[in-house]
Structure formats: C-alpha cells, structure tokens
Amino acid sequence: MSNNKNNPTIPEDHPRAQSLHYRHVLVDGMEKKIVTPSGLCAHGRGEAYDYILGETTTDAAENAMEAAVAMILSAKHPVISVNGNVAALIPKEIVDFSNETGSLLEINLFYQAPGRLNAIEQILRDNGADKILGLNEKVSVKLNNLSSNRRIVDPDGIFSADVVLIPLEDGDRAEALIESGKKVIAIDLNPLSRTAQKSHITIVDNLIRCIPKMVNIARSMKKMKAEKIKGIKNNFNQKKNLDQSLIHMIQYLQSKI
Amino acid sequence: MSNNKNNPTIPEDHPRAQSLHYRHVLVDGMEKKIVTPSGLCAHGRGEAYDYILGETTTDAAENAMEAAVAMILSAKHPVISVNGNVAALIPKEIVDFSNETGSLLEINLFYQAPGRLNAIEQILRDNGADKILGLNEKVSVKLNNLSSNRRIVDPDGIFSADVVLIPLEDGDRAEALIESGKKVIAIDLNPLSRTAQKSHITIVDNLIRCIPKMVNIARSMKKMKAEKIKGIKNNFNQKKNLDQSLIHMIQYLQSKI
C-alpha cells in the first residue's frame, strides 16, 4: 500500500479501505505519468457505480465474462486496448489475460503527453508483457469517425482486429470501433454509459475483480470444444444482461430505504 | 472554458459537455494546488451519482435547501467549511452565500501541502471573500474523534459554531462534527454516504446547481419572520427526504430498462 505525501496511511478499520488503496494506486500512477487527472475522475465514477452494485460481482457479470472470453477465444485477431488506468490498476492481470487468450496488447491513450507512452510500456514490460502494440506512432493509422486524440490505432493491432476488448473506454472511441465493424467487449461499471450500451458484450463489474476471474475462465474454457465455446458466445443476450445489472443496482438502492 | 495540454477542446455537441467543463475546472484547480488527486476521484463519484439523479435538482433537494437555509438563518454562529473542490468549482457562489446568510467561511483541508492553503485563500479573496477562517494553524484547536489530517479547526470558526454547512465532506469529518454537538448540513450527491446519512440535513444535489439556488432562497427567506423560518427548519424530515432522493434514483434507473 503506497504511503506518500498525498496518501496518508489508510486506517485498517476504514469502511472503504480497499477502495482507498486502489485510489492511491492511481494517484501514484499519476505521479509516474501513467494516469491522467481525467483518469482519476473516471475512476471516481467507477467507484460510485461499484458502491451501488454493492461492490460485488453479479451473476450477470459472470455470464458476460464467460461470453466475452468465448468471443475472444473464437476470434481470429483479438486485441486488448490498454489505457492508463488499466495499466496502473491491473498490469500483471491484463498481461496474464493477454497471454492466456492469445490476445495482443495495444496501448491506446486519449491524452498524449511526453513520456506517458513509455511509462505505460514500462509497467506492462515489468509485469511480463512481451509484444506491445501502439508504440510506434509513425506507422499508426487513423480509425474513422473519431475527432479525439485517441483516433490513432496500430495497423497490426486494433485496425485489423476482429474482436477488441476495451476495459474502461469512452463512448466516442467505443462507437468508432463498433462502426468500423469490429466486435467490441467492454468492461464498464456504468450500465447506462454509451460504451456499455453500444458494445456487443458489456461486463458490468470492477476491473480489479473481473480480469483475474476472466483469466480463470479462459484457462477452463480453452479445454472445451470450439463448438461449445461458440455456443456460449451465441447464447449471450446483451440487452437482457445489461438489464440484469440495472435491476441489481435498483434492488441495492431499494434495500437501503 | 480551459484548454491546456490536459484539456483538449470539448466538442460542443458532446453529450457531457457541461460535465466535462467542470471536470476541467478541477484539473486546472489541481495545477494551481487548490484541488488534490483525491478531490478528482471524489468529483468523479459525484458525477456518477448525478447521472443517476438525471442531472437535475429534485423536489426533495429543493425542500432540503429550504430547511438548510432556515437552519443557517436561525443559527447563532453558522460556519461554512470550504475544501479544495468547493473553492475550485464555486468560489464566487460560496462567498455570495456566506455574505447573504452571515455565515463565516473556514478553509478545512484533508490534505495539507505547501502553498495549498494560500491558493485556496487567494481564489476566495479574488471572488470577494473578506474574512476567512482556518488560515492560522498556530491558533487552531483540535476537534475530538478525528485521526485524519483534517482534525484541526479554527477556534473562532467551526470549533465554536452551532451550525456547520459541509458542502462535500468525508464521513469521518462529518461524524466528528455531529459527535461534538453541532448541527450539520451536508451537500452530497450520494444519499447513502456516511456524511449524507449522519448529517442533520442533507441536500442530495450537485453543488454547482445547488449553491446559486440557496443564495436566492436566503434572499427571500430573510424577509420572513423568525417564527416562519423556524417552522420551515422544524418541519424538515431528514430520513424521509433522503428516501425521496433514493426513490428518484431508483425511478431513473427503472426508466432505462
């Protein structure tokens, strides 16, 4: 647990000790240029939705994870889009998931800043990443329909991917990926965000709980026959699943009245 | 609207343009030492709860504002606790409210850092603040029951206050104020936070919408007789009001299924 001038020691009995711990991981990540101020705001939004979810992984999220892993294992060219918060919060876990599923890691940043790409590359390398895409801006190509900084994608990565996993992604980016014909899997604690609503599969869960579970799911699922994996993927109902997450939140709020 | 390296121009048609604007105000505030990284996370949480509230001021919030203003106008020594986010987001509005109600402004910070107190003082002065408490640490006294940095309060301010308005405050602090016998009014977008649950009056609304409305309420209410103001204060039912905010959020989520 980090403990610098911005991060006084977290009392062990604090009702939000774990939440505070990851908040401080992000603050440290900002000092290392991995995380941006906007990334901290985004994390805060995630915290709030997680509170309303009861800080638990729902059955709906488990089902979405299974469908997501099935879609990734069935893909020809799956790519994981990594941003600053993902790299700061779960660097080892995202590398493990990449290795376990044969997905490529591509760094995709909304906010470019000198040294930022290198800092994110370094934390991924320190956690065992071998091949990392999105590092060479000279050979990157633009994805249509995006006016933001994050329009640039790697020709060997997201540009040619059939399935893209976007853990924590903004709505513009998610929509551009979908409009370009890719299958998009989102991890988003807000079931009503554009990213959550527009993606093909949305896992409404905390990244920190979710990715380790997805590593385990991938390990088991790889032993299954391709036909069975395809069945898991095809049986998933995105609208129904999103509604289940919303219902879970509604029930949580109702239990507090 | 700010536009520096962290803040690319916000497209006017962005569905969250206003939300992005205030996010960038806070990021600028961080560069000026007014806001801390944890303050950005807290703002993000607020954004999420505001989305679930439909980004609107509810009838419940209006009622809570009236009761809050009545309580402040009926108080002998009302004090407004100002933190970094409040100073960055609504410096002029909080000074106006202080002047309109005869409440004292006291700067209270969780995270101390060199220059931070001065930066917050400066933005309040630039927006018309005359008397500001909490500036002289040498004469500050400790409030019981608080282990955090923010245990220190001004002997002429919160320490001797009968009513304290805490726009954006953490649970530990709010509880310590209540345990020390003060009447506490919170502004908190999360109706389930400890601050919201433990305070005597909680306004579940966005500070940015709320404080200008409270300035107007104070202007009207000051023309009323003391007995009528007391009645407004005494008729307020905190538990019922918090439940109304929760019900509003539940209905918002239900409307999305």
Side-chain angles (χ1 to χ4, degrees):
Chain A
M1 205 168 281
S2 70
N3 188 18
N4 65 17
K5 66 183 190 302
N6 286 315
N7 307 340
T9 306
I10 302 163
E12 281 177 25
D13 60 348
H14 194 287
R16 296 274 184 225
Q18 213 204 358
S19 183
L20 289 174
H21 166 64
Y22 283 106
R23 204 177 298 163
H24 291 172
V25 167
L26 281 187
V27 173
D28 288 344
M30 192 169 69
E31 284 164 11
K32 291 172 188 154
K33 293 188 171 185
I34 295 168
V35 173
T36 63
S38 288
L40 289 182
C41 281
H43 184 72
R45 290 195 296 281
E47 286 180 327
Y49 288 108
D50 203 17
Y51 294 170
I52 296 175
L53 209 55
E55 291 169 282
T56 186
T57 297
T58 64
D59 290 346
E62 297 264 11
N63 290 338
M65 283 179 213
E66 285 181 12
V69 173
M71 185 181 267
I72 290 166
L73 291 178
S74 309
K76 282 180 187 158
H77 186 41
V79 174
I80 303 168
S81 176
V82 178
N83 68 10
N85 283 21
V86 171
L89 290 170
I90 48 155
K92 188 180 177 308
E93 294 80 356
I94 203 76
V95 171
D96 286 351
F97 186 70
S98 156
N99 289 334
E100 203 64 54
T101 59
S103 307
L104 294 171
L105 292 169
E106 175 168 341
I107 302 175
N108 265 283
L109 304 179
F110 194 90
Y111 296 109
Q112 309 284 344
R116 190 161 182 232
L117 206 53
N118 291 347
I120 295 174
E121 180 190 1
Q122 195 54 53
I123 194 170
L124 293 174
R125 296 247 185 258
D126 290 346
N127 282 278
D130 182 16
K131 190 172 181 184
I132 301 173
L133 297 168
L135 294 174
N136 191 347
E137 287 181 39
K138 282 182 188 157
V139 299
S140 61
V141 292
K142 286 186 185 183
L143 201 64
N144 285 336
N145 311 317
L146 264 189
S147 60
S148 83
N149 290 346
R150 204 159 27 167
R151 65 190 175 276
I152 296 164
V153 292
D154 195 305
D156 298 327
I158 288 172
F159 187 76
S160 49
D162 54 348
V163 171
V164 185
L165 173 64
I166 47 170
L168 315 180
E169 186 60 271
D170 79 329
D172 286 345
R173 175 71 172 186
E175 281 189 0
L177 288 171
I178 292 157
E179 282 167 25
S180 69
K182 297 170 196 318
K183 291 285 180 188
V184 173
I185 301 164
I187 303 173
D188 196 325
L189 276 157
N190 176 7
L192 297 175
S193 75
R194 271 193 299 154
T195 298
Q197 291 282 322
K198 296 285 177 86
S199 294
H200 298 95
I201 297 176
T202 300
I203 302 160
V204 180
D205 198 21
N206 189 326
L207 199 65
I208 290 151
R209 294 191 298 268
C210 171
I211 296 291
K213 280 178 192 280
M214 287 174 75
V215 172
N216 288 334
I217 292 169
R219 272 184 201 137
S220 308
M221 203 175 278
K222 276 157 68 180
K223 296 170 195 157
M224 293 178 191
K225 287 184 179 164
E227 208 54 35
K228 192 171 177 192
I229 296 175
K230 216 171 169 181
I232 293 169
K233 182 187 73 163
N234 292 340
N235 281 335
F236 182 75
N237 184 324
Q238 162 81 341
K239 167 74 177 127
K240 195 176 156 193
N241 193 274
L242 278 173
D243 284 352
Q244 284 170 342
S245 294
L246 274 172
I247 290 165
H248 187 92
M249 288 180 170
I250 290 165
Q251 288 173 342
Y252 179 83
L253 291 175
Q254 279 171 335
S255 75
K256 301 296 178 185
I257 291 179
Chain B
M1 205 168 281
S2 71
N3 188 19
N4 65 18
K5 66 184 189 300
N6 286 316
N7 306 341
T9 306
I10 302 163
E12 280 177 26
D13 61 347
H14 194 288
R16 295 274 186 225
Q18 212 203 0
S19 182
L20 288 174
H21 166 65
Y22 283 106
R23 204 176 298 163
H24 292 172
V25 167
L26 281 187
V27 173
D28 288 344
M30 193 168 69
E31 285 164 11
K32 290 171 189 152
K33 293 187 171 186
I34 295 167
V35 173
T36 63
S38 288
L40 289 181
C41 280
H43 184 73
R45 289 194 298 281
E47 286 180 328
Y49 288 108
D50 203 17
Y51 294 169
I52 296 174
L53 208 56
E55 291 168 282
T56 186
T57 297
T58 64
D59 290 346
E62 297 264 12
N63 290 338
M65 283 178 214
E66 285 181 10
V69 173
M71 186 181 267
I72 290 166
L73 292 178
S74 309
K76 282 180 187 159
H77 187 40
V79 175
I80 303 169
S81 176
V82 178
N83 68 10
N85 283 21
V86 171
L89 290 169
I90 48 156
K92 187 180 177 308
E93 294 79 356
I94 204 76
V95 171
D96 286 351
F97 186 71
S98 156
N99 289 335
E100 204 63 56
T101 58
S103 308
L104 293 171
L105 292 168
E106 176 169 340
I107 301 175
N108 265 283
L109 305 178
F110 195 90
Y111 296 109
Q112 308 284 344
R116 189 160 184 234
L117 205 54
N118 291 347
I120 294 174
E121 180 189 0
Q122 195 54 54
I123 194 171
L124 293 174
R125 295 246 185 259
D126 290 346
N127 283 276
D130 182 16
K131 191 172 181 185
I132 301 174
L133 297 169
L135 294 174
N136 191 347
E137 286 180 40
K138 282 181 190 158
V139 298
S140 61
V141 291
K142 288 186 184 184
L143 201 64
N144 285 336
N145 311 316
L146 263 189
S147 60
S148 82
N149 290 347
R150 205 156 31 164
R151 65 191 175 276
I152 297 164
V153 292
D154 195 304
D156 297 328
I158 289 173
F159 187 77
S160 49
D162 54 346
V163 171
V164 185
L165 172 65
I166 47 171
L168 316 179
E169 186 59 271
D170 79 330
D172 285 346
R173 174 73 173 183
E175 282 189 0
L177 288 171
I178 292 157
E179 282 168 24
S180 69
K182 297 170 195 318
K183 292 286 180 188
V184 173
I185 301 163
I187 304 173
D188 196 325
L189 277 157
N190 176 8
L192 297 174
S193 75
R194 272 191 299 153
T195 299
Q197 292 282 321
K198 297 284 178 86
S199 293
H200 298 95
I201 297 176
T202 300
I203 302 158
V204 180
D205 197 22
N206 190 326
L207 200 65
I208 291 152
R209 295 190 299 269
C210 171
I211 297 291
K213 280 178 191 282
M214 286 173 75
V215 172
N216 289 334
I217 292 169
R219 271 183 202 139
S220 307
M221 203 176 278
K222 275 157 67 180
K223 295 170 196 157
M224 294 179 192
K225 287 184 179 164
E227 208 54 35
K228 192 170 178 194
I229 296 174
K230 216 171 168 181
I232 293 169
K233 182 188 73 162
N234 292 339
N235 281 335
F236 182 75
N237 183 324
Q238 161 81 341
K239 166 74 179 127
K240 195 176 156 193
N241 192 275
L242 278 173
D243 284 353
Q244 284 170 343
S245 295
L246 274 173
I247 289 165
H248 187 94
M249 288 181 170
I250 290 165
Q251 287 172 342
Y252 178 83
L253 292 175
Q254 279 170 336
S255 76
K256 301 297 178 183
I257 291 181

